Amino acid sequence: MIGVVGGGVAGLAAAYRLKQRGHEVRVFEASEYLGGLAAVYETAGDPIEKFYHHLSKSEETIVQLAEELGLGEDVEWRIGENGYYVDGVVHPMDKPWEILAFPHLSFYDKFRLGMLTLDIDVRGGVPKFDTYERLEDFEDVPVEEFVRDHTTQNVYETFFEPLLDAKFGSRKGDVSAAWLLGRIKFRGERDILNGEILGYLDGGFGRLLDALVEAVGRENIETGTRVTDVLADEGAVTGLTADDGDGETTHAVDDVVVAAMPNVLEELTGYPCEIDFQGTVCSVISMDEPLLDTYWLNIADEAPFGALIEHTNFVEKERYGGEHLLYVARYIQSPEEDVWQQDDDEVRETWLSGIESLFPEFDRESVNWVETSRNPRTAPVYERGYLDMVVPYDLGDEVADGVYYAGMASEAQYPERSLNGGIVAGYEVADRIDQK
């Protein structure tokens, strides 16, 4: 039997692939629910993810999995409209004429920014098309230094710095240029006249989780069961110990897949990971009326959040019983930060007050409900030298033969963590086990 530690997307994907190949599997999930960051809330219609999710066109593995599970026709590709809030004004940033009309960048600024997003290096006046091919060439370059050199000072200060503040907060100075370049490549296709093409699953990504659970077999999954030890003898895995709340049980296993955060890996095996992670406080606000005209609004202003994501400007409100659903989130670099310390009522007040300060016409009486989730490790800090710190898929040399890792510190979650990355990581370890 192969034991899988963690019932999130990566763990379920690994179990699914292994079961496809004829292996006996058992998934152990410490919490009472499956899905990890893809878990859902109920609404007046379809469920909605607790943490916002969409697909980029570059994410092909998750689409292939959906097709295998009979959900291929339910993957929908839509325009995800973007905007930028600066000095009290929302500036649409999708159509070419909207970008050209953005008043805070000069025409030259926009030209240099556009060339970077197209992977064209125009420094020195002679276009080069291969400068950005190797991300590893920029692993040790600070992102601020890179942007100032490859675009302009104003592009950095006006466009990128607010985004970096929202994404990495006090850690933005540690972030590598390789992350930025990788993220540009990661983002998907654009409709040249309308904007970025993003994907969503009709009914929500919870349907993909349900289909994975069915394919793995609910009888092969234990929730509310924490793995407390991985056992090895003469350099090879022999078993694991799991606690279901009524006591510990030892299971004989041939291999163990740790599809969890690296702190769990270290607790179970002693393997250390130097990657730092950020937490997130993320709320879904249900409203009677829409707040925005756009899906994703970056905030270049003083606010307790870095972006507002109105999901029902991406997926129609009728799927949620007519509710307008807005994500409000903030990355947390330290548990000492105020928002992390607040209870749900205090977070609600922080968000609503922040929205009122940006949108004085906002009527909080239109709010139906607010649901808040917290996670201390939702995304890595993609600092310089990050690729040297990723955890190998096969830890046979480092820990013991038969130990594999498919969590968020794996290479599949670079340059951006995603559901697709979790599936890729799960497949990578499953393939290695199957080919032994």
Side-chain angles (χ1 to χ4, degrees):
M1 183 184 81
I2 299 166
V4 179
V5 182
V9 169
L12 292 174
Y16 166 73
R17 187 83 147 200
L18 287 164
K19 194 163 185 292
Q20 274 188 314
R21 306 282 174 81
H23 298 275
E24 181 185 355
V25 296
R26 192 154 200 85
V27 179
F28 300 89
E29 168 55 46
S31 69
E32 296 296 336
Y33 62 87
L34 298 166
L37 294 176
V40 300
Y41 297 125
E42 296 300 320
T43 74
D46 290 343
I48 188 170
E49 293 79 18
K50 295 182 179 182
F51 297 87
Y52 48 88
H53 291 284
H54 58 236
L55 305 179
S56 293
K57 272 288 191 176
S58 62
E59 298 178 272
E60 299 176 348
T61 306
I62 190 171
V63 176
Q64 294 168 356
L65 173 61
E67 291 174 351
E68 289 180 22
L69 296 173
L71 300 174
E73 293 184 358
D74 296 326
V75 177
E76 304 170 334
W77 297 101
R78 301 163 172 264
I79 298 296
E81 296 180 330
N82 291 272
Y84 220 118
Y85 183 102
V86 185
D87 294 339
V89 178
V90 173
H91 300 274
M93 295 287 281
D94 294 301
K95 302 174 177 64
W97 52 90
E98 292 172 342
I99 297 170
L100 288 172
F102 185 63
H104 299 279
L105 296 177
S106 69
F107 181 80
Y108 182 66
D109 291 332
K110 294 165 188 171
F111 168 73
R112 293 295 299 273
L113 176 59
M115 290 297 99
L116 176 62
T117 61
L118 292 172
D119 278 349
I120 302 173
D121 181 5
V122 295
R123 293 174 303 163
V126 179
K128 299 177 182 177
F129 299 89
D130 58 356
T131 300
Y132 309 125
E133 285 185 1
R134 288 168 38 90
L135 295 186
E136 53 268 34
D137 291 344
F138 298 92
E139 265 293 301
D140 295 319
V141 179
V143 67
E144 178 179 351
E145 175 187 317
F146 172 84
V147 172
R148 292 182 190 277
D149 184 31
H150 291 254
T151 60
T152 70
Q153 174 89 2
N154 189 43
V155 167
Y156 174 76
E157 293 179 352
T158 300
F159 188 79
F160 281 109
E161 188 170 28
L163 299 180
L164 290 166
D165 282 332
K167 179 76 172 177
F168 297 108
S170 60
R171 296 297 305 276
K172 70 180 181 184
D174 300 325
V175 177
S176 79
W179 166 78
L180 178 62
L181 285 171
R183 183 167 172 77
I184 290 171
K185 295 175 186 293
F186 173 82
R187 298 305 290 262
E189 297 176 10
R190 292 186 68 85
D191 180 317
I192 192 168
L193 294 180
N194 294 297
E196 187 173 13
I197 301 172
L198 301 175
Y200 195 70
L201 185 67
D202 184 3
F205 290 107
R207 292 186 61 207
L208 184 71
L209 292 174
D210 292 343
L212 270 175
V213 169
E214 182 178 349
V216 172
R218 191 63 182 83
E219 69 278 7
N220 298 315
I221 301 172
E222 295 186 28
T223 55
T225 304
R226 182 180 299 278
V227 174
T228 58
D229 198 9
V230 171
L231 309 175
D233 183 43
E234 296 184 355
V237 165
T238 57
L240 60 78
T241 302
D243 187 348
D244 64 1
D246 293 325
E248 292 188 336
T249 304
T250 297
H251 302 263
V253 297
D254 300 307
D255 301 282
V256 171
V257 176
V258 180
M261 296 301 295
N263 63 301
V264 175
L265 177 68
E266 184 169 7
E267 290 168 5
L268 294 177
T269 70
Y271 182 89
C273 175
E274 297 179 358
I275 294 173
D276 291 332
F277 284 80
Q278 306 179 105
T280 303
V281 178
C282 183
S283 301
V284 178
I285 301 178
S286 166
M287 306 174 295
D288 290 329
E289 302 293 334
L291 175 68
L292 310 173
D293 294 323
T294 190
Y295 167 52
W296 192 292
L297 184 65
N298 291 304
I299 308 295
D301 207 313
E302 290 296 326
F305 38 74
L308 296 170
I309 301 105
E310 191 153 344
H311 180 78
T312 42
N313 287 339
F314 180 51
V315 177
E316 54 269 18
K317 68 182 185 300
E318 286 75 18
R319 292 192 181 178
Y320 305 96
E323 299 180 34
H324 295 266
L325 301 177
L326 176 76
Y327 283 103
V328 186
R330 175 170 159 181
Y331 283 107
I332 303 297
Q333 281 72 47
S334 166
E336 303 304 316
E337 293 186 37
D338 291 344
V339 172
W340 186 261
Q341 295 289 329
Q342 292 174 348
D343 62 26
D344 286 359
D345 289 339
E346 291 170 328
V347 169
R348 173 192 172 109
E349 180 58 33
T350 295
W351 293 161
L352 296 185
S353 296
I355 292 171
E356 286 172 332
S357 69
L358 301 182
F359 301 93
E361 70 279 11
F362 170 68
D363 180 9
R364 66 168 66 198
E365 293 300 315
S366 71
V367 174
N368 300 311
W369 50 262
V370 180
E371 291 284 357
T372 298
S373 290
R374 300 166 178 78
N375 191 293
R377 299 177 185 88
T378 51
V381 178
Y382 292 102
E383 60 188 298
R384 297 190 295 281
Y386 182 89
L387 287 177
D388 293 331
M389 297 186 286
V390 297
V391 180
Y393 294 119
D394 186 343
L395 289 167
D397 292 336
E398 292 83 356
V399 179
D401 185 43
V403 176
Y404 298 84
Y405 181 73
M408 200 183 292
S410 63
E411 188 175 348
Q413 297 289 18
Y414 182 87
E416 189 66 30
R417 57 100 173 93
S418 64
L419 295 178
N420 187 77
I423 295 166
V424 171
Y427 282 3
E428 288 282 352
V429 298
D431 290 347
R432 283 165 170 76
I433 292 171
D434 187 59
Q435 293 165 8
K436 286 174 64 176

